[in-house]
């Protein structure tokens, strides 16, 4: 295991690369979900406001 | 004519919104499986390189992120061009949805390249053609996002940022061919070569699996962001009333 983690002396370059990849994937998932959730909430609020708004009487 | 029906349907916001939602699990699950399999193959199954030793394993995150950075920019520029030429607003939505994904993977490519360059070249960074053109790609993504957020009017934002995306596409072939056009420290293409990949199958297979995983990962993330863009742009549309009821 120690041999595997050492990566032939390049562990301090190899592991941070994979950690960064994991961080970028995680950020993308969280940011995309957050962007969708907030857009959905805004859309729902607008839809509710549009339904509640009184329609103008026809003259 | 019937073959273009699917393309015309994509111009319909409710159709695109629902299609992106339906596609999501079919893209996200294989993306996770393939990305993890590629990383496992690269870290455990692939043999060490005879010249670079174990440091070469960085290729399994560096090359797929480089591929994704170029592919995402090409998608973004093509979508922006469709939006500018045919005034298809959902094409601009795809471009806007792609930009942050592409920017983050371009940054990953630059960072992992730097981590690979330090033990192999003895430096974190050199101003050679490949690295500099990739850095310009990152700035193009940032420029697109900054320009898009500078306007309150979505249509003006789409036009201005879209124009930058289309002009910036010239950088994509420069990045790819930079290692042939100029003397650079960066090695030539390993996979996309006229005479075939310069790797044995034991190294190549995990790399191709990673490419597939990252590509599907982009598609899945783009679906989520595209749905958010559609909701933001269509918030006053009547079809969204159903969303509140459902």
């Amino acid at each position: 295991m120690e041999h595997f983690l050492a990566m032939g002396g390049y562990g301090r370059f190899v592991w941070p690369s994979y950690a960064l990849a994991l961080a970028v994937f995680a950020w993308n998932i969280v940011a995309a979900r957050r962007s969708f959730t907030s857009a959905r909430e805004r859309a729902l609020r607008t839809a509710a406001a549009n339904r509640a708004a009184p329609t103008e009487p026809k003259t | 004519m019937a073959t273009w029906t699917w393309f015309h349907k994509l111009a319909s916001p409710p159709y695109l919104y629902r299609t992106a939602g339906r596609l999501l699990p079919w893209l996200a699950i294989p993306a996770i499986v393939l990305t993890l399999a590629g990383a496992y193959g690269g870290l455990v199954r692939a043999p060490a390189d005879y010249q670079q030793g174990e440091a070469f394993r960085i290729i399994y995150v560096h090359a797929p992120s480089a591929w994704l950075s170029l592919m995402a920019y090409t998608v973004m520029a093509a979508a922006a061009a469709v939006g500018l030429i045919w005034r298809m607003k959902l094409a601009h939505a795809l471009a806007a949805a792609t930009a942050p994904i592409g920017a983050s993977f371009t940054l990953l490519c630059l960072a992992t390249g730097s981590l690979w360059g330090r033990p192999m070249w003895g430096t974190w960074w050199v101003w050679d053609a490949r690295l500099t053109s990739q850095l310009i790609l990152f700035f193009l993504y940032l420029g697109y996002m900054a320009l898009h957020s500078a306007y309150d009017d979505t249509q003006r934002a789409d036009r201005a940022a879209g124009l930058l995306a289309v002009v910036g596409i010239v950088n994509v072939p420069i990045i790819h061919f930079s290692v042939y056009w100029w003397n650079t420290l960066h090695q030539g293409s390993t996979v996309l070569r006229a005479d075939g990949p310069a790797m044995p199958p034991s190294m190549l297979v995990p790399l191709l699996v990673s490419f597939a995983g990252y590509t599907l990962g982009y598609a899945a993330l783009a679906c989520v962001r595209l749905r958010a863009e559609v909701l933001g742009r269509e918030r006053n549309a009547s079809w969204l009333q159903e969303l509140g009821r459902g």
Side-chain angles (χ1 to χ4, degrees):
Chain A
M1 189 64 183
E2 213 169 281
H3 179 257
F4 174 68
L5 291 175
M7 283 284 159
Y10 294 114
R12 67 196 177 104
F13 302 106
V14 175
W15 294 115
S17 298
Y18 281 79
L20 279 173
L22 186 66
V24 166
F25 269 104
W27 176 81
N28 267 296
I29 292 166
V30 170
R33 278 183 65 90
R34 196 174 285 176
S35 144
F36 175 73
T37 308
S38 66
R40 195 169 194 275
E41 278 168 9
R42 270 199 309 273
L44 287 173
R45 271 200 304 273
T46 309
N50 286 346
R51 274 201 302 277
T55 49
E56 284 183 26
K58 285 179 182 168
T59 53
Chain B
M1 287 299 283
T3 50
W4 286 99
T5 312
W6 65 271
F7 185 72
H8 294 141
K9 275 186 183 172
L10 290 176
S12 155
Y15 178 81
L16 184 66
Y17 179 82
R18 288 182 194 117
T19 304
R22 282 190 201 116
L23 282 174
L24 188 56
W26 297 98
L27 296 167
I29 294 166
I32 293 167
V33 171
L34 289 172
T35 304
L36 290 176
Y40 173 78
L43 283 169
V44 180
R45 307 293 297 176
D49 183 70
Y50 81 106
Q51 279 183 321
Q52 301 189 17
E54 308 282 353
F56 115 97
R57 297 186 193 281
I58 296 173
I59 199 174
Y60 296 100
V61 288
H62 176 70
S65 58
W67 151 252
L68 205 159
S69 70
L70 295 176
M71 183 202 64
Y73 195 90
T74 308
V75 170
M76 187 175 90
V82 168
L84 288 169
I85 297 164
W86 288 291
R87 296 185 185 278
M88 195 172 156
K89 60 183 176 179
L90 291 180
H92 284 301
L94 175 61
T98 292
I101 307 169
S104 64
F105 280 93
T106 308
L107 189 61
L108 176 64
C109 171
L110 289 165
T112 53
S114 191
L115 281 163
W116 197 0
R118 182 71 184 93
M120 292 301 114
W121 303 337
T123 179
W124 297 101
W125 181 265
V126 280
W127 291 100
D128 94 349
R130 172 61 71 85
L131 278 71
T132 308
S133 53
Q134 188 71 18
L135 184 65
I136 290 169
L137 184 76
F138 180 59
F139 290 142
L140 281 166
Y141 276 120
L142 293 187
Y144 177 94
M145 291 189 286
L147 204 52
H148 203 276
S149 59
Y151 290 92
D152 289 329
D153 177 20
T154 311
Q155 284 191 342
R156 288 183 67 194
D158 284 341
R159 276 201 297 272
L163 202 60
L164 176 68
V166 171
V167 171
I169 193 70
V170 72
N171 191 43
V172 170
I174 290 175
I175 294 171
H176 181 72
F177 292 108
S178 57
V179 287
Y180 304 110
W181 291 344
W182 294 285
N183 274 325
T184 71
L185 267 178
H186 198 283
Q187 67 193 57
S189 294
T190 314
V191 180
L192 295 172
R193 290 153 50 101
D195 52 347
M199 272 181 153
S202 55
M203 290 175 167
L204 181 64
V205 171
L207 188 58
L208 294 178
V209 170
S210 293
F211 276 117
Y214 277 56
T215 307
L216 290 172
Y218 158 76
L221 289 166
C223 277
V224 180
R225 284 195 174 271
L226 183 58
R227 295 184 93 208
E229 279 290 329
V230 171
L231 285 175
R233 288 158 189 257
E234 292 282 307
R235 57 180 173 271
N236 287 315
S238 57
W239 67 272
L240 277 180
Q241 303 290 327
E242 290 171 29
L243 190 74
R245 294 192 189 103

